[in-house]
Amino acid sequence: MQELIGAEINGYRLVRLLGRGSLGQVYLASNATGSQEKASSALVACKILSTLTPREEQLPSLLAALQELSTLQHEHLLPLLAYGYDQNHGLPFVVMPYVTAGSLGARYPRGTRLPLLTVVRYATELASALQAAHEAGWLHANLKPENVLLGDNEQLLLSEVGLWSLVRRFSSRTASMSAGASGAIPTGSPYQAPELMAGQPTLASDQYALAALCYEWLAGVPPLAASESTGTAPHERLPHLPELSAAVEAALAQALAPDPAQRFPSVQAFAEALSRAAAALEVAVPQERELVELWLQQGNEHYRHGRWQEALTAFNEVLRRDSHNVYAYNRRGQVYCELGRYQEALADFNAAIRLAPNDPTAYHHRGFLALQQDRLEEALEDYTTVLRLEPGRAVSYNNRGRIYLELGRPREALADLNEAIRLDPHYAPAYFNRGNVYEELGERERAISDYTEALRLDPSHAPAYFHRGILYQQQGDLERALADLDEALRLDATDATAYLVRGEVRAALEQLEQARADFDKAIELDPQNPEAYLQRGLVLRRQGETARALADLSEAVRLAPADPLAYRERASLYEEQGDFDRALADLEAAIRLAPAEALSYAHRGNLHRQRGEIEEALADFEQALRLDPHLVTAYLYRALLYAEQGELAAALADLTEAIRLAPEVAEAHYYRGLLYADLGELQAALDDLSEAIRRRPEEAAFYRERARLYELQGRPQYALADLERARRYAPEDEEIWQAWQRVRQLLRSDQR
């Protein structure tokens, strides 16, 4: 069979192989031709009927038959969503819902024995589906546990009804094959009636297969194997099951009769007879295995509805009656996790692993628990075991990728997440986690692309909005950052970090009141977050609330005594208040905590400058520029020092270098403009002051100084216009008011 992963079959893209069967291969598929929304939300199972090989002239009849089969509807039949014949690959196919819970064959491995009440329920559901198919003229002919799927609510869904009939009818090889040849009749199944193996299937053949399933669920072995183990001829006599009533055994024996005519009139009649026989049991209390199954069902129902204590009671009862029930240990472990009782959860997962060391389920649960508790090496070991036992699980590659990332191994994380996406291209968490890896590697565009894809697949993924918002913030795209953070908080209004980051974005957008409200909320949700106090302190300082700003910055220092930023910001506030001693103490603390951080030296140098400590200031500026030759702040502060010392050429060189490094910094243009003015180069000074205003048009001091130069040039009209703007931004500034009055008076005098 050709490799079809990635191929497109009549508008369906085959994502990965789910399994192989006697009819062909089943692939996980997506709608490749529909809208993106439809493709992302509707994964399906596409069965390639490679056994069915129609001749060209048979294709219209085949498609008509598939159309008829697609109209067959029943609550316990897996429906056909689509069907067709792909001309490019020469293959017929059918499309069915993708059922994630698996089959009864996977749920109950060979040797499993089920309670009679459970078997009766299964027989009743399957018989009703088969009866509906028979009445519509369709035979199953290949009933086995692998073809019985479990729906979301544990209801049974029978698949492959009618498909073997189509194989017999339309395969171009059928005519040249013997009755039992592979492709015409499914062979090798212990559930096949004698007439089916002889190539003469009837409706009663499905009744035989259903009875064989029921017998195996009750006895632990299929009837043919049971007959062989007792030395009896096949189909001659079933071994006696002492725990069952004679009526139950009689119902099974009649349905398993070698002659179809001796079986029940219909498969529905068999199910009803089995149900009556079970109800007539003389034992009033269900047998132990039946009680176990009932408690399991109750536990699962409680779990689905989040009733943790009730679920715990049910699974406790299961394990009291059956201390080797692996499924119950796994489920009870999950309940303990929900209740926060992690040690008991771990004990249950360990018990499940001891009982079934080759079952990946408990390793997965134990690994996820270890991941939540930051026991990363243990989690890594468990997920590696899961992938050894079941290498096709996208979720396991995704989770192991998360672990590698948290362990600081991004390249290995990237490999696992790439594999998760290859296995399931519609798995949103894998794109989100790969975005985290790219973010860690500094590949912002790739990270944004992955977060965007995660959100296309799952628009309710709040962390993807949050992370993409942070990247937009880092790129300076504040409006898009704000939109993403708004959406993240709409989806999860309890995320303190999202409020913190949105506050930072709003502060950068000069939305100070909204920023302050966000920091208030972040602190309310997480009162021990030093960054929230730091950022709120900075906003309060900008709003002129110095005392409250100082209190917040001091709280940030208390909560994060090893954070140099908190000390440096508090030092800046002390400096603004003229408390140079405290400012100096904070800057020395910042340098002690981070001796390689250039900015702290630059700030300390500026403090020494203001205290008149010239040598100390120069030493700090030189150290800052040794550590970071591109630190604009150090050039600005040193330029001020040189200007104060009359070294105007050195000051001009530093300011020019600052502008070369960061032409967007308005202060550099402003100070150089003042310096040019002192040097008598008025036009150069005006150019720089105009650039400073262009960069920061709301700064009153910039207009005031340019007005002064216009006045010196004898251009009072321009000076007055600048002073009008300065007054608008600083209406309380007395110096601006006096200059405005003087220029107005000058203009009036000129007019007279």
Side-chain angles (χ1 to χ4, degrees):
M1 176 62 194
Q2 57 187 304
E3 175 57 61
L4 293 174
I5 293 176
E8 187 175 317
I9 301 291
N10 276 41
Y12 290 90
R13 190 169 304 283
L14 305 186
V15 176
R16 62 181 170 93
L17 184 67
L18 293 175
R20 301 179 187 272
S22 49
L23 284 170
Q25 301 75 35
V26 183
Y27 290 88
L28 181 69
S30 64
N31 189 326
T33 59
S35 66
Q36 290 294 338
E37 291 77 12
K38 182 177 179 182
S40 65
S41 62
L43 291 176
V44 294
C46 183
K47 191 174 191 71
I48 305 299
L49 301 173
S50 54
T51 310
L52 205 164
T53 56
R55 297 185 300 274
E56 185 174 353
E57 64 271 17
Q58 292 178 307
L59 285 180
S61 297
L62 169 62
L63 295 176
L66 286 170
Q67 165 62 27
E68 181 184 351
L69 184 59
S70 70
T71 64
L72 182 59
Q73 301 290 322
H74 189 275
E75 62 178 325
H76 294 298
L77 284 177
L78 191 68
L80 291 190
L81 302 176
Y83 58 89
Y85 184 84
D86 185 82
Q87 296 286 351
N88 293 331
H89 298 87
L91 292 170
F93 68 92
V94 293
V95 178
M96 302 163 289
Y98 173 44
V99 179
T100 59
S103 69
L104 287 186
R107 169 71 65 87
Y108 304 121
R110 181 62 57 82
T112 302
R113 301 181 68 181
L114 302 181
L116 178 60
L117 295 181
T118 301
V119 174
V120 169
R121 178 169 70 85
Y122 287 172
T124 301
E125 293 183 10
L126 293 174
S128 68
L130 289 168
Q131 187 70 32
H134 291 174
E135 291 173 0
W138 293 100
L139 180 66
H140 194 292
N142 193 28
L143 184 59
K144 55 186 177 180
E146 290 72 21
N147 289 335
V148 183
L149 306 179
L150 286 158
D152 292 338
N153 296 316
E154 296 286 304
Q155 82 273 24
L156 302 189
L157 295 170
L158 183 58
S159 69
E160 292 195 1
V161 168
L163 294 183
W164 272 108
S165 300
L166 298 181
V167 170
R168 285 175 54 80
R169 180 178 168 189
F170 291 106
S171 177
S172 61
R173 296 176 293 172
T174 304
S176 62
M177 290 192 291
S178 63
S182 176
I185 292 294
T187 58
S189 169
Y191 314 105
Q192 290 175 339
E195 70 276 9
L196 183 61
M197 289 188 285
Q200 299 175 335
T202 69
L203 297 181
S205 303
D206 286 344
Q207 179 187 153
Y208 181 100
L210 179 58
L213 281 176
C214 292
Y215 184 92
E216 181 179 16
W217 288 329
L218 291 167
V221 292
L224 182 59
S227 298
E228 292 172 346
S229 68
T230 59
T232 61
H235 313 294
E236 183 178 294
R237 183 176 63 83
L238 295 174
H240 175 58
L241 299 176
E243 65 268 34
L244 300 179
S245 69
V248 171
E249 287 192 315
L252 290 170
Q254 183 175 343
L256 290 167
D259 182 357
Q262 295 178 358
R263 298 174 199 152
F264 289 95
S266 68
V267 67
Q268 187 72 52
F270 159 62
E272 292 171 356
L274 184 64
S275 180
R276 286 193 301 271
L281 279 174
E282 295 180 359
V283 180
V285 180
Q287 298 182 25
E288 195 72 6
R289 283 185 292 111
E290 296 165 6
L291 285 173
V292 166
E293 182 68 19
L294 288 172
W295 281 113
L296 276 176
Q297 292 174 12
Q298 288 186 26
N300 284 331
E301 185 68 16
H302 290 312
Y303 187 93
R304 276 194 296 273
H305 291 89
R307 300 189 291 261
W308 311 124
Q309 289 296 341
E310 293 88 342
L312 182 60
T313 299
F315 293 130
N316 282 341
E317 190 64 24
V318 171
L319 290 167
R320 185 181 71 80
R321 296 172 182 276
D322 180 5
S323 60
H324 291 78
N325 194 304
V326 174
Y327 181 79
Y329 278 114
N330 275 312
R331 293 300 269 170
R332 190 174 72 174
Q334 290 177 280
V335 173
Y336 280 138
C337 284
E338 296 290 349
L339 292 170
R341 296 164 63 174
Y342 300 122
Q343 289 302 317
E344 291 160 292
L346 181 60
D348 272 357
F349 298 144
N350 287 338
I353 288 168
R354 283 195 301 273
L355 291 167
N358 293 318
D359 181 354
T361 306
Y363 293 102
H364 173 83
H365 292 318
R366 191 174 70 177
F368 190 71
L369 176 59
L371 177 57
Q372 289 179 306
Q373 296 183 317
D374 290 327
R375 294 182 284 110
L376 300 180
E377 293 291 350
E378 296 173 41
L380 179 62
E381 182 178 351
D382 274 342
Y383 276 109
T384 300
T385 301
V386 170
L387 289 168
R388 177 178 58 80
L389 294 170
E390 192 175 357
R393 289 175 60 135
V395 65
S396 300
Y397 278 106
N398 173 69
N399 288 355
R400 192 172 70 173
R402 282 181 56 193
I403 295 165
Y404 278 134
L405 179 59
E406 293 193 35
L407 286 171
R409 298 159 65 176
R411 293 299 174 186
E412 291 161 287
L414 188 59
D416 268 1
L417 293 164
N418 284 338
E419 182 64 11
I421 290 169
R422 187 190 70 79
L423 289 167
D424 186 352
H426 298 88
Y427 186 40
Y431 287 100
F432 170 71
N433 287 317
R434 191 172 70 175
N436 289 344
V437 174
Y438 284 135
E439 188 175 347
E440 178 73 17
L441 294 171
E443 299 185 41
R444 290 181 184 170
E445 291 302 327
R446 283 186 167 182
I448 288 174
S449 176
D450 270 351
Y451 293 143
T452 301
E453 180 65 10
L455 289 169
R456 186 184 69 80
L457 295 168
D458 180 7
S460 65
H461 200 296
Y465 281 109
F466 173 72
H467 279 266
R468 191 174 69 176
I470 288 178
L471 291 179
Y472 284 143
Q473 178 196 26
Q474 292 172 356
Q475 290 182 333
D477 194 344
L478 299 182
E479 294 295 342
R480 293 175 79 178
L482 185 59
D484 270 358
L485 293 163
D486 284 344
E487 190 63 17
L489 286 166
R490 185 187 68 80
L491 293 166
D492 181 6
T494 65
D495 188 344
T497 307
Y499 281 107
L500 173 60
V501 177
R502 189 173 71 175
E504 293 174 357
V505 171
R506 284 175 161 171
L509 289 168
E510 298 298 325
Q511 301 172 6
L512 298 187
E513 283 300 325
Q514 296 97 317
R516 184 167 163 180
D518 274 347
F519 297 139
D520 287 344
K521 189 65 176 179
I523 290 168
E524 176 190 328
L525 292 168
D526 183 6
Q528 302 302 309
N529 189 330
E531 183 68 18
Y533 287 101
L534 173 63
Q535 294 299 330
R536 189 173 70 177
L538 296 178
V539 167
L540 288 167
R541 181 182 176 186
R542 290 168 66 181
Q543 291 181 315
E545 298 189 39
T546 306
R548 294 189 63 187
L550 184 58
D552 269 357
L553 294 173
S554 296
E555 184 65 9
V557 168
R558 186 187 70 81
L559 291 169
D563 181 8
L565 178 59
Y567 287 101
R568 191 166 63 238
E569 293 297 343
R570 190 172 68 173
S572 179
L573 186 54
Y574 281 140
E575 178 186 344
E576 186 179 283
Q577 294 178 322
D579 193 343
F580 289 170
D581 290 338
R582 286 184 175 175
L584 186 60
D586 272 354
L587 288 170
E588 287 175 349
I591 289 170
R592 184 174 65 253
L593 291 166
E597 197 167 290
L599 191 57
S600 295
Y601 290 98
H603 282 297
R604 190 174 70 174
N606 192 47
L607 190 61
H608 284 308
R609 176 187 71 81
Q610 294 177 80
R611 289 161 62 101
E613 297 163 355
I614 307 305
E615 294 301 323
E616 293 86 342
L618 283 172
D620 273 346
F621 294 144
E622 289 171 6
Q623 177 64 8
L625 290 169
R626 271 197 297 270
L627 292 168
D628 183 359
H630 299 90
L631 184 60
V632 172
T633 303
Y635 286 108
L636 287 176
Y637 288 157
R638 192 170 68 175
L640 293 177
L641 177 61
Y642 283 143
E644 290 166 354
Q645 297 300 306
E647 300 181 37
L648 301 187
L652 184 61
D654 271 355
L655 290 169
T656 300
E657 180 63 11
I659 289 170
R660 186 188 70 80
L661 291 169
E664 73 280 1
V665 175
E667 285 87 348
H669 294 282
Y670 172 69
Y671 288 129
R672 193 172 69 172
L674 297 182
L675 187 57
Y676 277 135
D678 289 343
L679 292 169
E681 300 181 33
L682 293 188
Q683 189 54 51
L686 282 170
D687 290 343
D688 264 340
L689 289 171
S690 296
E691 182 64 15
I693 288 169
R694 189 180 73 81
R695 298 285 182 178
R696 195 192 299 167
E698 74 286 354
E699 185 61 57
F702 296 173
Y703 292 105
R704 183 192 65 210
E705 292 303 322
R706 192 171 69 172
R708 182 174 64 84
L709 296 184
Y710 281 141
E711 191 177 353
L712 289 173
Q713 282 189 326
R715 301 160 70 184
Q717 297 92 337
Y718 291 94
L720 185 62
D722 271 355
L723 290 168
E724 292 282 3
R725 295 189 188 95
R727 286 183 63 205
R728 186 161 60 245
Y729 293 117
E732 305 300 323
D733 191 310
E734 184 65 26
E735 184 180 350
I736 293 172
W737 171 255
Q738 291 176 358
W740 177 77
Q741 286 185 313
R742 185 181 66 250
V743 172
R744 277 190 73 198
Q745 185 63 37
L746 179 62
L747 282 170
R748 286 175 181 170
S749 299
D750 288 346
Q751 290 170 358
R752 285 197 296 268

